[in-house]
């Protein structure tokens, strides 16, 4: 395995540049921009440069929370995609969500991704309040994850950019009555979960399938530990909604403590200089030869779109 190599701008590890700038580089870069007009670029820096692993985990966990709402979990179970084709569904969701902030809303591929999401949503009777709740998790869960486990929390500029980015995404998805502040999103999510979280057999099946997929991302000998670790990161209302047992308090404390320790250690690491994209992650497995944005996801009556695949 090749080790790190020195470059004029820091070091290069497996083709990715690190260092060569201050450890505060991305925060200073983001805070120098206007979150009311440059929110896409700021959010891109947060998700692809400063916190790629954390944001992927947090957004995956945000989607996982939505399965505990019976209307959402039951629908996802009924489609069969999240239980019978879990890997592809996971990959498609992550890839589609990345395109708008990776390329900007005006890019043709971003418009194709949003069009694809809208096609899938229109295939089912999804009420506005569920769409609004899902959108709120994308704003609130990453912020809380970074507060708890990141090497630093989001700055005020970065948080405002996140709000504006998802307000714009929600507008493209025709979601009405979107909150205009982080506090508004947080109230929406917390109130909605308090009112709607409940056990549903369909939601439990979707959650079980997602956790089973997660276990395949790690060596089989670690499966039991990863499963317990995953439940340790769930809050009690979420576990109760799925009917999951709570780990022993000391196990939960250890699991969360290890993640916090990781965040502290990362403060001493050099800064990532090259973006980390979803397609670069080892657990995205459905498209080894590239993908077409228009063919991501499924919906009733879908047919493949001809054309050249987008390379990884």
């Amino acid at each position: 395995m090749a080790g790190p190599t020195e470059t004029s701008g820091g070091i290069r590890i497996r083709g990715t540049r690190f260092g060569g700038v201050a450890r505060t580089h991305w925060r200073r870069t983001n805070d120098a921009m206007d979150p009311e007009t440059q929110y896409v670029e700021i959010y891109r820096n947060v998700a692809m440069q400063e916190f790629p692993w954390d944001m992927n985990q947090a957004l995956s966990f945000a989607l996982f929370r939505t399965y505990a709402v019976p209307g959402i979990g039951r629908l996802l179970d009924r489609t069969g995609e999240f239980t019978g084709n879990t890997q592809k569904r996971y990959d498609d969701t992550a890839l589609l969500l990345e395109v708008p902030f990776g390329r900007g809303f005006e890019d043709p591929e971003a418009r194709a991704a949003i069009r694809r999401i809208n096609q899938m949503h229109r295939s089912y009777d999804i009420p506005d309040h569920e769409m609004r709740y899902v959108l709120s998790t994308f704003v609130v869960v990453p912020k809380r994850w970074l507060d708890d486990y990141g090497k630093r929390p989001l700055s005020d500029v970065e948080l405002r950019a996140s709000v504006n980015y998802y307000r714009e995404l929600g507008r493209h998805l025709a979601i009405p009555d979107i909150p205009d502040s982080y506090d508004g999103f947080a109230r929406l999510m917390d109130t909605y979960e308090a009112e709607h979280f409940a056990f549903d057999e369909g939601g439990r099946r979707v959650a079980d399938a997602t956790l089973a997929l997660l276990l395949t991302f790690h060596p089989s000998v670690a499966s039991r530990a990863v499963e317990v670790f995953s439940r340790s990161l769930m809050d009690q209302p979420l576990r109760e909604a799925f009917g999951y047992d709570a780990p022993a308090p000391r196990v939960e404390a250890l699991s969360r403590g290890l993640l916090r320790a990781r965040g502290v250690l990362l403060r001493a690491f050099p800064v990532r200089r090259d973006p980390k994209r979803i397609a670069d992650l080892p657990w995205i497995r459905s498209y080894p030869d590239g993908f077409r944005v228009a063919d991501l996801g499924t919906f009733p009556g879908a047919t493949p779109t001809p054309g050249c695949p987008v390379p990884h």
Side-chain angles (χ1 to χ4, degrees), residues 37-110:
T37 60
Q38 296 175 287
Y39 49 86
V40 173
E41 186 175 352
I42 296 170
Y43 189 77
R44 181 188 303 133
N45 289 341
V46 166
M48 290 184 165
Q49 302 282 8
E50 183 82 297
F51 303 109
W53 186 86
D54 291 278
M55 290 296 287
N56 181 261
Q57 303 306 309
L59 290 171
S60 296
F61 193 57
L63 284 170
F64 188 82
R65 296 188 73 83
T66 69
Y67 309 158
V69 175
I72 298 173
R74 192 179 303 128
L75 172 61
L76 296 177
D77 177 60
R78 192 164 66 245
T79 69
E81 288 296 315
F82 278 79
T83 52
N85 203 8
T86 313
Q87 177 75 64
K88 184 176 186 301
R89 213 46 199 96
Y90 177 93
D91 295 352
D92 289 355
T93 301
L95 291 167
L96 282 169
L97 288 174
E98 181 186 59
V99 178
F101 67 76
R103 292 173 173 264
F105 285 104
E106 299 308 313
D107 183 88
E109 292 294 327

Side-chain angles (χ1 to χ4, degrees), residues 216-261:
T216 71
F217 298 162
H218 305 275
S220 58
V221 295
S223 293
R224 174 59 180 166
V226 172
E227 190 273 334
V228 174
F229 182 80
S230 299
R231 282 190 287 116
S232 295
L233 300 184
M234 300 179 196
D235 54 86
Q236 190 58 26
L238 183 62
R239 284 193 294 252
E240 289 178 354
F242 289 132
Y244 288 152
D245 294 331
R250 64 181 180 278
V251 174
E252 182 172 333
L254 175 62
S255 300
R256 293 171 181 258
L258 288 173
L259 269 184
R260 292 189 181 101

